[in-house]
Amino acid sequence: MVLLSFDIEEFDMPLEYKGEISFDKQISISQYGLERILNILKKHHAKATFFSTVVFAENSKHLIERLLNEGHELASHTWFHSEFEEKHLKESREKLEELFSTKVTGLRMPRMMPVDEKEVEKAGYSYNSSINPTFLPGRYNNLKVSRTYFKEGNVMQVPASVSPNFRIPLFWLSFHNFPLAFYKKLASDTLKKDQYLNIYFHPWEFAGIKDEAFKLPGFTVKNSGDDMVERFDSFVGWLKDKGHTFGTFQEFQKKICS
């Protein structure tokens, strides 16, 4: 099973690099990218999981309703993208459920931040996908964490996929910067070894973000916008042609627990 997931959030990354972007533009860029993602998934009849901040969801109700109507899963990306308190774990889950009358069972922390797993369980989640089990300088070192899913208390941990050899991450930056043939090879190796693939992206990757005002480094904007649409469309089609199925995290959890 292929687990495609998207962290849908206010596009505040330019602020990390001392760039300038208004809140309205943060939302509109992510909304545009999300529409493009949904169109690709619909074309290939592929299901996915969307981890949303409450801030983005409140400002994008029509898109959240669309993704739910098209069979995708809504999960929590907490309340804000760049501000976090433990209370946001439970509050974000309950708010998303209230807004969209859907069961929210999953969590992904913004920027894969560490989180107290006991608090995650207390907040009512049954799975957490907030670990990238690799080494990324300046961000995290999770080389001692299991590459594949495992249970922690009553919460299933579903780390992002890394290659079986050398733990090369298959996250969004790899997809943008590796040659697509090499990325496909890593994905194939991981699927063969683990029997599933967990990869994540963001809607703003599918929009035009090569704006000098954002001050984003080249490795974050390479193959973004129209190039990303073409690249991702091709990749999903390739997975489909290989006979792989696409599922939500809830479907995956149900399958492995049955």
Side-chain angles (χ1 to χ4, degrees), residues 94-212:
E94 292 178 338
K95 187 63 174 179
L96 291 172
E97 289 185 339
E98 175 194 326
L99 285 170
F100 302 104
S101 300
T102 189
K103 186 69 174 173
V104 173
T105 61
L107 169 73
R108 178 173 291 146
M109 292 295 291
R111 301 183 177 91
M112 296 290 202
M113 285 169 44
V115 63
D116 186 331
E117 291 304 333
K118 291 180 181 177
E119 293 301 320
V120 173
E121 185 172 336
K122 281 167 57 178
Y125 296 98
S126 65
Y127 75 84
N128 181 12
S129 184
S130 302
I131 302 171
N132 202 335
T134 188
F135 173 63
L136 191 64
R139 187 70 82 180
Y140 35 68
N141 184 356
N142 295 319
L143 292 175
K144 293 182 178 179
V145 179
S146 172
R147 286 181 53 259
T148 55
Y149 65 87
F150 60 97
K151 206 75 180 284
E152 192 163 1
N154 290 316
V155 178
M156 179 169 291
Q157 304 293 327
V158 192
S161 287
V162 295
S163 66
N165 298 317
F166 310 111
R167 292 195 178 216
I168 301 170
L170 281 86
F171 67 152
W172 66 283
L173 281 173
S174 304
F175 191 81
H176 286 269
N177 288 280
F178 290 166
L180 193 53
F182 179 58
Y183 187 91
K184 287 178 178 178
K185 174 66 166 59
L186 295 177
S188 290
D189 291 347
T190 305
L191 276 160
K192 185 176 181 181
K193 175 72 173 179
D194 302 337
Q195 300 301 306
Y196 75 95
L197 183 69
N198 175 18
I199 52 177
Y200 67 96
F201 306 91
H202 311 83
W204 38 263
E205 300 171 47
F206 296 77
I209 56 173
K210 295 178 180 178
D211 187 324
E212 288 185 7

Side-chain angles (χ1 to χ4, degrees), residues 7 42 49 187 190 247:
D7 297 349
K42 187 174 184 179
T49 300
T190 305

Side-chain angles (χ1 to χ4, degrees), residues 13 29 32 38 44 56 64-65 95 131 164 168 174 176 192 213 215 234:
M13 189 167 70
I29 284 175
Y32 178 64
L38 290 172
H44 294 287
F56 181 77
I64 305 297
E65 288 166 354
K95 187 63 174 179
I131 302 171
I168 301 170
S174 304
H176 286 269
K192 185 176 181 181
K215 298 184 179 179
S234 169

Side-chain angles (χ1 to χ4, degrees), residues 12 15 31 62 81 90 97 105 127 195 212:
D12 59 2
L15 304 181
Q31 288 174 336
H62 62 297
H81 191 246
K90 184 178 180 183
E97 289 185 339
T105 61
Y127 75 84
Q195 300 301 306
E212 288 185 7

